[in-house]
Amino acid sequence: MSWSATVLTLFPQMFPGPLGVSLAGRALREGIWSCEARDIRAHALDRHRTVDDTPFGGGAGMVMRPDVVDTAIAAAMPAGDARPLIYLTPRGRLLDQKLVQQLAAGAGVVMLCGRYEGVDQRVIEARGMMEVSIGDYVLSGGELAALTLLDACVRLLPGVMGAAESAVEESHSAGMLEYAQYTRPAEWQGRAVPQVLLSGHHAEVARWRRQQSEAVTRERRPDLWTRMQVAGGGAAA
Ligand code: 6GU
């Protein structure tokens, strides 16, 4: 039973897109996960294949019709489908690594991508969708957000990453930014690699990396740093 993603979109040709190459692409070909993109327009109810209409109350843009979206969802989700139904929208809760881990641990996801000004709120409520955003900026549609969510989940599936990378994931996905990385040459354009990394003292290296991680988190992401302090200083969340 592979992890299965179904995407409802007006632009099915955007999938798997970049997830067809590299790590995710290999996992896709190996059957570790599957990606089915379904065209919402195929479920339009009239001969003009209308999927949207003007917003009640006026204003710019178009809103996707609840009847068309509901029909598309019904066709995409077999009875008893255990996968969460996610609507990608900048109005949603922020995606974070904890939600990614939860989704990756489940059976897969069904994702609705909105275009235009969004989707009629009634079908979002009627279907009990989880509304998810990937950050505080506006994309022209949910598709790139869906691809981002998928990439984040797929790399956590068993057999996608090597054991070494998985272990790193465990220790550093717990709400801190990563320490800086260096490779050869040991000196480049007059810039030396931090001496401790060349020392061979594993405990010293670990201590330096922990300090680096803390310093960069405190400086760049005071929000994460504060949360770490409240959670109890370095404990994995
Ligand atoms: Cl999920 N959708 C759109 N259209 N814009 C976004 C987003 C989602 N998350 C951040 N910006």
Side-chain angles (χ1 to χ4, degrees):
M1 265 294 294
S2 79
W3 196 85
S4 109
T6 298
V7 188
L8 305 174
T9 171
L10 293 172
F11 303 98
Q13 67 273 29
M14 288 177 73
F15 296 86
L19 302 184
V21 300
S22 192
L23 211 65
R26 179 171 55 82
L28 193 55
R29 287 187 297 277
E30 287 174 350
I32 293 174
W33 70 294
S34 66
C35 184
E36 179 195 26
R38 301 178 64 104
D39 190 355
I40 295 170
R41 198 174 294 281
H43 299 280
L45 305 160
D46 64 331
R47 66 186 184 87
H48 295 111
R49 304 225 293 159
T50 306
V51 296
D52 59 350
D53 209 330
T54 54
F56 281 124
M62 301 291 271
V63 177
M64 288 171 73
R65 292 173 54 113
D67 48 2
V68 174
V69 168
D70 189 64
T71 305
I73 292 167
M77 298 184 81
D81 194 325
R83 297 172 299 169
L85 174 56
I86 295 172
Y87 171 45
L88 283 318
T89 168
R91 299 182 66 228
R93 60 162 286 189
L94 271 183
L95 181 65
D96 60 16
Q97 192 64 17
K98 189 172 157 207
L99 179 56
V100 167
Q101 283 166 350
Q102 285 168 4
L103 294 173
V109 288
V110 180
M111 290 183 290
L112 170 64
C113 300
R115 281 268 153 176
Y116 317 117
E117 300 312 302
V119 173
D120 187 300
Q121 191 65 29
R122 291 168 296 178
V123 67
I124 297 167
E125 290 170 12
R127 287 280 181 179
M129 297 184 207
M130 180 192 302
E131 298 183 64
V132 173
S133 165
I134 63 162
D136 294 334
Y137 41 81
V138 181
L139 304 171
S140 52
E143 286 79 8
L144 286 173
L147 287 166
T148 299
L149 185 154
L150 283 178
D151 181 86
C153 288
V154 165
R155 61 187 289 280
L156 298 184
L157 299 177
V160 174
M161 282 196 303
E165 289 131 306
S166 304
V168 169
E169 177 62 35
E170 287 304 315
S171 54
H172 292 280
S173 66
M176 295 276 284
L177 301 185
E178 281 268 13
Y179 49 81
Q181 299 277 15
Y182 301 87
T183 186
R184 280 177 284 277
E187 189 182 321
W188 174 75
Q189 294 191 351
R191 296 166 184 266
V193 167
Q195 191 58 41
V196 60
L197 299 180
L198 310 176
S199 69
H201 291 112
H202 297 303
E204 284 291 296
V205 169
R207 200 166 69 90
W208 181 86
R209 285 179 166 170
R210 193 158 45 246
Q211 285 170 348
Q212 276 275 303
S213 187
E214 288 179 10
V216 74
T217 302
R218 218 158 39 209
E219 183 182 311
R220 298 180 182 176
R221 294 295 304 275
D223 57 321
L224 293 184
W225 180 251
T226 302
R227 200 180 310 165
M228 285 304 291
Q229 300 313 103
V230 172

